[in-house]
Amino acid sequence: MGLPALEFSDCCLDSPLFRERLKSHEAELDKTNKFIKELIKDGKTLIAALKNLSSAKRKFADSLNDFKFRCIGDAETDDEICIAKSLQEFAAVLRNLEDERIRMIENASEVLITPLEKFRKEQIGAAKEAKKKYDKETEKYCGVLEKHLNLSSKKKESQLQEADSQVDVVRQHFYEVSLEYVFKVQEVQERKMFEFVEPLLAFLQGLFTFYHHGYELAKDFSDFKTELTISIQNTRNRFEGTRSEVESLMRKMKENPHEHKNISPYTMEGYLYVQEKRHFGTSWVKHYCTYQSDSKRITMVPFDQKSGGKGGEDETIILKSCTRRKTDSIEKRFCFDVEAVDRPGVITMQALSEEDRRLWMEAMDGREPVYNSNKDNQTEGTAQLDNMGFSIVKKCIHAVETRGINEQGLYRIVGVNSRVQRLLSILMDPKAAETEDEISSEWEVKTITSALKTYLRMLPGPLMMYQFQRSFIKAAKLENQESRTSEIHSLVHRLPEKNRQMLQLLMNHLANVAKNHKQNLMTVANLGVVFGPTLMRPQEETVAAIMDIKFQNIVVEILIENHEKIFNTVPETPQSNCQLLLSRKRSMDSKPPSCSERPLTLFHTAQPSEKQENRNSIINSSLESVISSSNINSFLHSNSTPQSNMNSSDPDLEVVKPSRPNSLSPFRKARALYACKAEHDSELSFTAGTVFDNVHPSQEPGWLEGTLNGKTGLIPENYVEFL
């Protein structure tokens, strides 16, 4: 029920009903006044809370922006780069949102608090002042009227007329005040309908603007959110793959740690306790020691894992001799004595166990019997890149593409191992291969896909070859996609012919699988996760190698996405002579090239010594002619047959290398066989045919030192021939 209207005509009568109506209006004004006061108080509290919220969110955004991801390895995948920069993207979005919130908060006082306070003070306050005046005039009028009515009728007529006139004046003034008060009350009641509600509407409009800004930010953020979601999923998939590999390696290390030691530039390294003589006696200090057999250099670093820091300066000595310490000559166990060339006296060291002492003494040519602790964990596979091998792969691909290319989880879901081995034994049986052109329909698709992957893993070496592993990984770590594709394109064409043919066959098939990813759920990224470790399995199981699986996956992804260009076109950038001839890979650090870094070698069937000499002379003359010739492709074509047999397991094959002097005499002239670009200031850049002066052995193993155009620097030993 609404408020009753106040009629101006009722002001003259001033009836009880008029007073009741006026009182209800006054009560409504009091209620409105109290409500506005509470609303202003709550509004200020809300603004303060929003400021605190904005401050907290800004601090949260600053924390996100300051944190930097550090991934394992020397490079990051595109997915890891996307995830790493996501925190900065989140921080930017939050900051942008809080900038808009601050604008809303600053406007809130102006559009909400100030108008409400103004309405309460100017309008409701004015109505209260009018009420006070009305009440005062009411009291005055009633007092004058009562006094006037109490006048005696016996008063003189002039006095009575004067009294009547005075009462009329007071009544008129009361009437005017009453009219003004009623007008003000009704005015305030009407004004509150817009002057009270309008600031609230403006405040809500500010809120809507803020939320709309958030909506626009969300729309702008949508593309990055999609990219980030894909990157997170890809990274999770890679994690699931590498986690099982790392766990498997950890279990192997637990079972037999000596069989899985990492490749180290040192002959031996580990903790030893060194006896040190002090003025109060002797003490045993823990050192981390390294030994290089080439230079006979022993480095001792005082270090204690409990304190987590070095306990002194490093010390380096040159080994003279190593002798086992007799048990009855010292209280400690597992001791041996070391004599140094550059330090007088004997250094007594204590190994961690008898086996540890044996290994140290073996490395230092001590008097303990030598036991070969290294085990070749690389087993020879029976699979080969021969006609049967190509036939097996083609049969598997044909069966998959005709029967189950749309099966979900293709190549990811594995078959039963016993059935996979049985299928492989049938496929690899020469008699069965001659009689059966296709794989029987009794075999499940998951068994066939598992057999294909197993066959590729059974090759003596990975399809993409050990010596190119680091080059492919390095290519995957390049900054932009175009450079990665170009480098991988070049590397693929350095593979032996049969390896490249098999890889092309497989990539064409995987591209067909990826085209049906909506049905089989096997995207290019998923196929990279499955085939990366198979095609580029590392030569040694290490955590670092497992961390590189993500880059192996990227290589396979690039091969699938660009298979037509990579396999059907010649690389645009011509390779250097050393890459085209022998695919030489330079070592990045100062150590002899490892097996994976050495250049491709030329193979031929072993012949009697006379034929052998003829073969060497032919190969050497071929190399010289190619270096001086501009048509390199013709040489590669003429030598494609030996290269295509890199995976052959024929025991009669042996290596033929260009002739070298048996010993290096100091300060000789040498000629470069291949071009080389320096990667460090201490190295020389040169082209094929360059002649160096004053060539002599350097202190760095695997490197020579020579002079070119007055500049002295390092030259890879296997890049030159002496004149």
Side-chain angles (χ1 to χ4, degrees), residues 663-682:
S663 61
L664 297 178
S665 301
F667 306 110
R668 300 179 60 183
K669 284 194 173 186
R671 180 174 59 198
L673 293 174
Y674 323 107
C676 179
K677 184 177 180 181
E679 298 183 7
H680 302 282
D681 294 338
S682 60

Side-chain angles (χ1 to χ4, degrees), residues 151-166:
L151 286 176
S152 175
S153 57
K154 296 180 179 180
K155 292 279 186 181
K156 292 181 180 181
E157 185 64 26
S158 60
Q159 290 179 336
L160 293 175
Q161 288 180 356
E162 183 181 356
D164 291 342
S165 176
Q166 185 180 4

Side-chain angles (χ1 to χ4, degrees), residues 8-9 11-12 170-180:
F8 289 123
S9 58
C11 293
C12 183
V170 173
R171 180 185 294 111
Q172 182 63 32
H173 189 259
F174 168 71
Y175 179 62
E176 291 175 357
V177 170
S178 179
L179 288 173
E180 291 175 359

Side-chain angles (χ1 to χ4, degrees), residues 106-123:
E106 291 173 350
N107 291 333
S109 295
E110 186 176 341
V111 302
L112 177 65
I113 305 300
T114 302
L116 288 179
E117 287 182 336
K118 183 179 179 182
F119 175 75
R120 192 178 72 83
K121 291 178 180 179
E122 293 183 0
Q123 300 301 323

Side-chain angles (χ1 to χ4, degrees), residues 485 488-490 492-493 500 555 558-571:
T485 305
I488 291 173
H489 188 183
S490 173
V492 167
H493 282 263
R500 186 166 65 252
V555 172
I558 292 174
L559 289 174
I560 296 174
E561 291 174 339
N562 303 275
H563 66 283
E564 293 183 355
K565 174 185 176 182
I566 289 175
F567 293 101
N568 298 330
T569 62
V570 178

Side-chain angles (χ1 to χ4, degrees), residues 439-455:
I439 297 176
S440 172
S441 58
E442 68 175 283
W443 300 101
E444 296 177 297
V445 172
K446 65 180 182 180
T447 304
I448 299 172
T449 56
S450 296
L452 174 58
K453 291 187 292 182
T454 303
Y455 186 83

